[in-house]
Amino acid sequence: MSDLPITKRDVSVPSAPISTSTPSGWQKFTEKPDRTTAKVVAKALQDKTFSVQRMAEMLARRSAYERSTMSGLIASQLRGNVALDFLKASAGVRLVKPKTPPKQVTKPEDGRAPGGNESLEALDLAAPGRGAVDLVELARRTDDVDDASSMAYLKKVLDDVNLISSGKTPYSQLRRTALAKVAGTGQKHIVEQTGFRTASSKRTGQGGLSTQHDLVSSYWRTSFGETLGKFVGKLQADGTLKEGDILVNSPRVLRKLGMVLDPKALAKLEIRPLKGETGISVLRGATGGSLKEILEGIGATPSAYQLYELMDVDQPRLRPNAAVDAHADLAKLITSSAFSRLQDIARGKGELAPVCAMVEHLLLGLTDKLGPVRYDALTADALGSLSRLLDIVVEEPNPSSALRAVDLMMDELAVVLAVAKNYGRVDYWKTMQDVLLKRAPSIAPNVGREIELSSHLMTSGMDALGTALYIALSARRGGEVSRATEKVDYFETGMLLGKLKKGEVAKARNDVVVAALNPSTPFESSSAKNLVEGVLEGLKTRKPDDPPFALILDTTVEDGLDPSTGRTRLDEVLNGLKGAIADGSLEVFLCKSFQKYASLGTGKVAAGDLSVLSKKNSIASQYTQVEALLQELDLDLARHDEGQLVIHMLKHGNQDEQALMSAAAGNAEFVNEFCWPVTHTDLGSPYVDGIPLLLRSKPGGEIAPLFEKLALVDWRGSFSFLRTSYVDLIPGPWGAPTTEQQEDWYTRINTGHESKQTMVEYFYAFGHLATGTPPGAEKPTAEVNLDSLTMKDVKEHWDALRGVKDEDDAGIARYRDSIMASYCVFACQNVRFKLEVLPMLIAFFATPTTGVSIGTRRYLAGELLARANLPLLKTLDTGTLTKLCAQAMDFNIPGQDQPDATVTLAAMSRAAEVLPGWSMKPFAQGLKDKLKLSGGSKEEERLGALIDRALKA
């Protein structure tokens, strides 16, 4: 650790007066902050002669850079509980900033700052559509590399982003290499998980700011078998597993199989834990291929993180590494200028606000409990990466890249938490109960008095559902399950419920009901009122000696407060049923998947919750509560890696889940109403209040191949990610279609946290072409063959857009530039002959494009320059450029009456400007060779300078 002091030049005047009540050595510390002067100040805190809370408040009144550096120095000199108290106090105090209102100036059309040559076009600093950026403030702070609001800091971060993005190696792979160099004994499994946790995109060849992992699967619960052999090899389990053996998540799986196997088949099976007495187990004696499907249906898939941990299970404990200090690093991180900027964004109204709030709470949560392991190199390295990614989140002008950085932060958080292992079962029980009672406060007075509530960590949402069914049925000595919500159930439950409904194993009865709080295939909204009334009606037929009625409720998708009732939907259900629970006539099983923990950016936590509500001290419900606990104990998840991240997310991010859900749902509502309206269920599902999911199809059937061409939208195997994604091959509301009924397959759009402007760019052209509805039309006018899209089809919509006046359509008036960009994007991806799209792209870039998001502009810029480099265009002389301009004029270039080569050059220059140097470089040499001009025009000089700059990058 460095002993270098902060030089006098770096020390700024405090932003607010500091109290004369200061600890011993404070003056010298402020004049020359280093480890020696910090030791004197720290001694006053350690001896408790000065308050750590007061110290945190004093530091918060200095500049952000001073605060961070000085906090880190003080933290490095503190020990024991005082060190943790200082972290906690620092987490609770925000930076005090001088109250000087920012000055706004109009952003010049060419994107250049006044008095300088710095181009702002590629930085996209202006708020979309406002054309203003705080250039005065930037100019004043331009050289302050320690201030996250300065131009110098921004440029430094963008250099980092460009360095990461320009490489083909994904960030997660770089991190595995870096972490492996500092990992100690017993930490290999933590390093190996990097890049595995967040469900990767199905798109191949992604590098830069993205995740990659050889063992990742798009949906672990159903496709883990594809990579299980590699896990076994890493476990060095040769000889332990025999051919035909199946790994499952718990020795208790054998009991659950009794629901769907006849006694003779069940008797042939045996099971034993792979290590010890709990956790991953070997199921032996299975024959036939149907058992795999059954095991998936009851959620028996083994925990991937336990498989990883078995690699290091017998390794000796790691010794402390005095060369690092994670407490000091964490103190610097949460008091840094970047973190203060994150907090400002979190309290704003932009699309990144709820995402930044979530990051803020998860990072501050590291100061809770016992904190990170202090002298651990792996932890220190992860905190360093968190700091780097935080810079990208708050500085990267492309929100999509910022959201990618947040995804990657989850892995680093997981490393810190997995090393520390501060959480256990009691933490899970208490945290989950707190979360549940926040969301269903109406039952809070009853819990502990009349109602018993217990929560249990499961391997997945299907594990929770399968376990609930097993408990409910075994308590009633078998019975068929009825489904009160046929059209909105999770379609994955079909196999298990189908077998039970057919009576293949159990006798028919209808006192066990499975329902979904909200659908993941949202064709129609579920009604809390109807569900409550249905259950209460079912209770009327119950006899006094009958076992309690069982409601198994999937609560994975939880929306926020209903304005009409002031309650969450979960609270509505439990409030209506609490009397029946309290009198012992009803048991409620709440099942939740954390793999889809709404929009927290981690799609592969791969865990779930089973919460059970029953009458307090009820003999009839004693079996239910005990069996639920035994299921949890046999899984033994809470003390393992996945348990650490799940508990941390629940404890410190639960307040963000519904805010994130609401923001993403707002995007879904917008897409449904403005970008891709549908009128028939065979074309998709309507927006269901509070759910960020939409299903879409097109006339004639399969739509998935068209979604696969959407280069700007992730292709995922699940939902609830920070960035917008899609899932293909989703069956309709009445079960999976037969081969002859392909039109019943849907693709699900999972809206994320990009802006509504970006939603337009993603989906407007796709939706309006798919439905044959040009801009401004109230209903379809002509069907478009999307499988063989032509520029004629696109131009008809483009011309229709041009004919809609701003005063006639507020939505088109607001998003006109983004609508044009959307048609350009869709044409680039679907029109077969690439050169046909070039005139349209020239028309798009012929005028300033600041009304379009930077991510879309960069994509289209790359497409324009790639097409300009096609071999069919052998030269870019004046005649060729003029001809291209003439073709572009068919797409309406404002103010252009005659074809002009300089218009094409200006469009190419604007495209080149929005690309970082590394992204422009592949086109630069080809363009330089093709340009055959006389020289002299400012557009030619500008493009030439951009090409030369790219070649030097």
Side-chain angles (χ1 to χ4, degrees):
M1 298 173 65
S2 175
D3 287 326
L4 293 175
I6 305 174
T7 64
K8 196 167 186 68
R9 179 183 66 82
D10 293 322
V11 179
S12 66
V13 177
S15 57
I18 296 176
S19 168
T20 55
S21 173
T22 59
S24 176
W26 174 255
Q27 189 62 36
K28 289 185 177 180
F29 181 52
T30 59
E31 293 172 357
K32 185 183 178 183
D34 59 19
R35 294 187 70 187
T36 302
T37 55
K39 189 176 294 186
V40 180
V41 175
K43 188 176 186 306
L45 302 179
Q46 197 74 51
D47 295 342
K48 298 186 178 180
T49 59
F50 196 82
S51 162
V52 292
Q53 179 65 36
R54 177 64 185 139
M55 175 55 64
E57 292 169 354
M58 289 169 58
L59 290 169
R61 290 181 173 274
R62 306 194 73 84
S63 73
Y65 174 63
E66 285 181 301
R67 182 194 184 197
S68 178
T69 305
M70 295 166 76
S71 294
L73 286 168
I74 291 174
S76 70
Q77 304 302 313
L78 296 173
R79 297 292 177 267
N81 289 335
V82 177
L84 293 171
D85 290 344
F86 180 70
L87 281 177
K88 196 68 179 173
S90 299
V93 181
R94 288 196 62 196
L95 181 70
V96 178
K97 299 180 181 179
K99 296 181 179 179
T100 54
K103 299 177 182 179
Q104 294 286 322
V105 297
T106 301
K107 178 181 176 182
E109 180 183 315
D110 64 4
R112 290 176 172 79
N117 296 319
E118 178 63 46
S119 172
L120 300 180
E121 179 69 24
L123 304 186
D124 198 32
L125 295 177
R130 296 180 185 174
V133 67
D134 191 358
L135 297 179
V136 172
E137 185 68 13
L138 284 175
R140 181 172 31 190
R141 295 183 171 185
T142 188
D143 295 324
D144 190 349
V145 295
D146 299 313
D147 186 340
S149 64
S150 74
M151 176 63 81
Y153 196 100
L154 172 65
K155 289 172 67 178
K156 176 171 66 73
V157 173
L158 291 181
D159 285 343
D160 270 351
V161 175
N162 289 340
L163 183 64
I164 295 169
S165 301
S166 61
K168 294 183 179 179
T169 305
Y171 188 82
S172 57
Q173 185 174 331
L174 296 174
R175 290 298 298 141
R176 282 198 299 276
T177 302
L179 289 168
K181 293 177 181 178
V182 298
T185 305
Q187 295 182 325
K188 179 181 177 183
H189 70 281
I190 299 174
V191 174
E192 288 281 336
Q193 292 174 31
T194 305
F196 178 87
R197 193 171 308 276
T198 300
S200 64
S201 173
K202 290 184 178 182
R203 302 197 188 283
T204 57
Q206 289 194 331
L209 209 62
S210 64
T211 59
Q212 175 275 334
H213 200 288
D214 291 340
L215 300 182
V216 77
S217 62
S218 59
Y219 203 66
W220 176 255
R221 180 175 61 80
T222 57
S223 55
F224 77 97
E226 299 168 6
T227 55
L228 186 59
K230 295 179 181 179
F231 267 110
V232 172
K234 287 178 176 290
L235 289 170
Q236 298 177 338
D238 295 342
T240 304
L241 299 176
K242 299 179 180 179
E243 186 175 350
D245 286 353
I246 300 175
L247 290 185
V248 293
N249 57 10
S250 162
R252 227 166 182 78
V253 164
L254 196 59
R255 293 170 177 257
K256 291 162 69 175
L257 284 172
M259 286 189 292
V260 287
L261 293 181
D262 62 59
K264 289 182 180 180
L266 195 64
K268 295 177 182 178
L269 301 177
E270 60 178 275
I271 196 167
R272 62 175 178 79
L274 190 61
K275 191 81 175 179
E277 298 180 354
T278 60
I280 293 178
S281 300
V282 180
L283 183 65
R284 187 164 291 168
T287 57
S290 62
L291 188 59
K292 177 181 180 294
E293 183 184 3
I294 292 171
L295 290 169
E296 291 171 3
I298 64 173
T301 303
S303 159
Y305 309 108
Q306 283 191 23
L307 285 171
Y308 274 115
E309 285 183 85
L310 287 171
M311 297 182 202
D312 295 331
V313 71
D314 296 321
Q315 295 293 329
R317 187 178 181 133
L318 187 67
R319 299 182 66 179
N321 183 342
V324 298
D325 188 338
H327 284 186
D329 293 341
L330 181 57
K332 290 173 66 176
L333 174 61
I334 63 173
T335 57
S336 67
S337 181
F339 193 80
S340 177
R341 188 172 175 83
L342 177 87
Q343 292 176 309
D344 289 341
I345 297 171
R347 284 150 184 78
K349 295 182 179 180
E351 65 266 17
L352 291 183
V355 177
C356 288
M358 176 263 291
V359 173
E360 175 191 6
H361 297 143
L362 293 183
L363 288 178
L364 290 179
L366 294 177
T367 66
D368 198 18
K369 194 73 175 175
L370 302 175
V373 173
R374 185 163 192 172
Y375 303 112
D376 176 74
L378 195 64
T379 299
D381 201 277
L383 288 172
S385 180
L386 277 169
S387 181
R388 186 185 193 190
L389 292 168
L390 176 64
D391 280 342
I392 294 172
V393 172
V394 301
E395 297 293 346
E396 170 59 62
N398 183 359
S400 179
S401 294
L403 294 173
R404 288 176 187 271
V406 175
D407 281 341
L408 293 166
M409 292 180 87
M410 291 295 180
D411 266 328
E412 308 296 350
L413 275 166
V415 169
V416 176
L417 295 164
V419 172
K421 275 192 167 52
N422 288 328
Y423 297 118
R425 290 192 184 98
V426 174
D427 296 291
Y428 181 78
W429 297 338
K430 185 178 185 306
T431 299
M432 196 61 204
Q433 178 168 307
D434 290 344
V435 172
L436 181 57
L437 295 184
K438 279 181 186 176
R439 297 181 181 182
S442 62
I443 66 168
N446 307 90
V447 170
R449 298 172 57 194
E450 303 163 286
I451 295 176
E452 183 172 354
L453 167 62
S454 62
S455 294
H456 310 280
L457 188 58
M458 302 281 112
T459 313
S460 66
M462 282 306 297
D463 185 16
L465 280 168
T467 300
L469 275 168
Y470 164 71
I471 294 172
L473 293 175
S474 56
R476 290 154 185 79
R477 298 181 182 177
E480 187 178 338
V481 179
S482 67
R483 296 167 77 186
T485 53
E486 288 284 351
K487 296 180 182 179
V488 296
D489 254 334
Y490 286 89
F491 60 87
E492 293 97 329
T493 63
M495 185 282 300
L496 181 59
L497 293 175
K499 283 185 174 292
L500 292 168
K501 289 180 73 173
K502 292 174 185 174
E504 293 181 12
V505 177
K507 294 179 180 179
R509 62 187 303 147
N510 58 9
D511 59 355
V512 179
V513 172
V514 177
L517 187 70
N518 282 311
S520 66
T521 50
F523 280 91
E524 50 190 73
S525 177
S526 55
S527 167
K529 180 182 178 183
N530 291 347
L531 178 61
V532 169
E533 290 176 351
V535 171
L536 294 179
E537 185 66 27
L539 288 176
K540 292 179 180 179
T541 62
R542 179 180 174 273
K543 298 176 182 178
D545 294 334
D546 285 346
F549 191 100
L551 169 63
I552 299 172
L553 186 62
D554 195 312
T555 61
T556 291
V557 183
E558 289 191 59
D559 49 9
L561 294 177
D562 182 339
S564 63
T565 64
R567 299 181 186 273
T568 65
R569 198 167 305 203
L570 178 63
D571 195 30
E572 287 183 60
V573 172
L574 294 182
N575 182 57
L577 298 177
K578 64 183 179 182
I581 301 171
D583 69 20
S585 58
L586 173 66
E587 294 173 346
V588 176
F589 300 80
L590 304 178
C591 306
K592 190 175 182 71
S593 169
F594 293 129
Q595 182 171 352
K596 307 173 188 72
Y597 195 62
S599 298
L600 285 179
T602 171
K604 291 298 283 297
V605 172
D609 173 71
L610 173 61
S611 289
V612 183
L613 296 103
S614 62
K615 180 182 178 181
K616 182 76 173 176
N617 299 323
S618 168
I619 295 176
S621 294
Q622 189 174 31
Y623 169 85
T624 295
Q625 292 288 354
V626 170
E627 184 60 33
L629 177 60
L630 291 174
Q631 290 281 346
E632 178 190 1
L633 295 176
D634 270 1
L635 284 168
D636 190 24
L637 298 175
R639 66 185 178 90
H640 291 286
D641 291 351
E642 68 263 55
Q644 302 305 302
L645 185 56
V646 168
I647 297 168
H648 190 78
M649 283 174 18
L650 286 169
K651 189 169 187 178
H652 300 289
N654 72 82
Q655 70 270 45
D656 300 304
E657 181 197 5
Q658 290 178 327
L660 287 164
M661 177 77 81
S662 176
N667 274 341
E669 183 177 20
F670 177 72
V671 169
N672 184 70
E673 291 180 355
F674 184 72
C675 303
W676 197 337
V678 295
T679 55
H680 305 93
T681 56
D682 59 343
L683 297 178
S685 64
Y687 169 70
V688 175
D689 288 347
I691 300 178
L693 307 169
L694 296 170
L695 277 79
R696 286 296 181 267
S697 187
K698 67 180 178 65
E702 193 176 8
I703 199 170
L706 292 167
F707 270 90
E708 290 173 22
K709 297 179 182 179
L710 298 183
L712 300 178
V713 181
D714 269 339
W715 179 11
R716 303 282 189 135
S718 187
F719 64 85
S720 273
F721 303 98
L722 296 177
R723 286 173 292 132
T724 298
S725 61
Y726 74 90
V727 183
D728 56 357
L729 299 179
I730 299 293
W734 302 283
T738 64
T739 307
E740 294 77 24
Q741 295 174 313
Q742 289 298 318
E743 65 274 10
D744 288 338
W745 285 115
Y746 296 84
T747 291
R748 183 172 60 203
I749 298 172
N750 317 309
T751 49
H753 297 279
E754 300 93 337
S755 65
K756 288 182 171 54
Q757 170 194 42
T758 305
M759 293 297 112
V760 172
E761 293 156 17
Y762 285 169
F763 298 118
Y764 189 94
F766 195 174
H768 282 70
L769 286 165
T771 56
T773 310
E778 295 183 358
K779 58 183 180 179
T781 59
E783 187 173 316
V784 177
N785 184 358
L786 294 184
D787 299 320
S788 185
L789 185 70
T790 67
M791 280 305 298
K792 179 177 178 292
D793 299 321
V794 177
K795 192 171 184 305
E796 285 177 359
H797 279 238
W798 186 280
D799 291 342
L801 174 65
R802 184 172 55 183
V804 180
K805 297 179 181 179
D806 285 355
E807 57 267 27
D808 294 336
D809 192 311
I812 286 179
R814 181 174 184 180
Y815 297 110
R816 186 179 294 273
D817 289 349
S818 290
I819 293 171
M820 291 192 294
S822 183
Y823 280 103
C824 288
V825 169
F826 199 75
C828 287
Q829 294 163 352
N830 291 277
V831 172
R832 181 177 301 177
F833 299 106
K834 294 182 180 296
L835 206 56
E836 290 184 358
V837 188
L838 183 56
M840 185 184 192
L841 294 172
I842 291 170
F844 176 76
F845 279 104
T847 55
T849 59
T850 51
V852 178
S853 70
I854 187 64
T856 300
R857 277 190 282 162
R858 286 176 176 170
Y859 171 77
L860 291 175
E863 291 293 319
L864 186 155
L865 297 179
R867 283 162 169 74
N869 263 315
L870 287 172
L872 291 172
L873 283 176
K874 296 180 180 179
T875 182
L876 291 172
D877 56 18
T878 302
T880 304
L881 295 175
T882 302
K883 182 178 179 182
L884 287 172
C885 178
Q887 294 170 341
M889 286 173 62
D890 287 342
F891 291 90
N892 185 34
I893 302 175
Q896 193 65 35
D897 299 324
Q898 298 293 328
D900 188 342
T902 60
V903 173
T904 305
L905 286 169
M908 294 172 69
S909 296
R910 283 197 177 90
E913 275 192 326
V914 302
L915 293 176
W918 65 269
S919 186
M920 172 65 181
K921 192 169 186 176
F923 312 118
Q925 190 60 57
L927 292 174
K928 190 177 182 72
D929 295 341
K930 283 188 176 188
L931 284 170
K932 307 295 182 185
L933 305 171
S934 57
S937 73
K938 65 178 182 179
E939 290 83 4
E940 184 180 346
E941 291 176 1
R942 188 176 178 186
L943 181 58
L946 290 165
I947 289 172
D948 290 340
R949 187 178 71 180
L951 289 172
K952 295 175 183 177

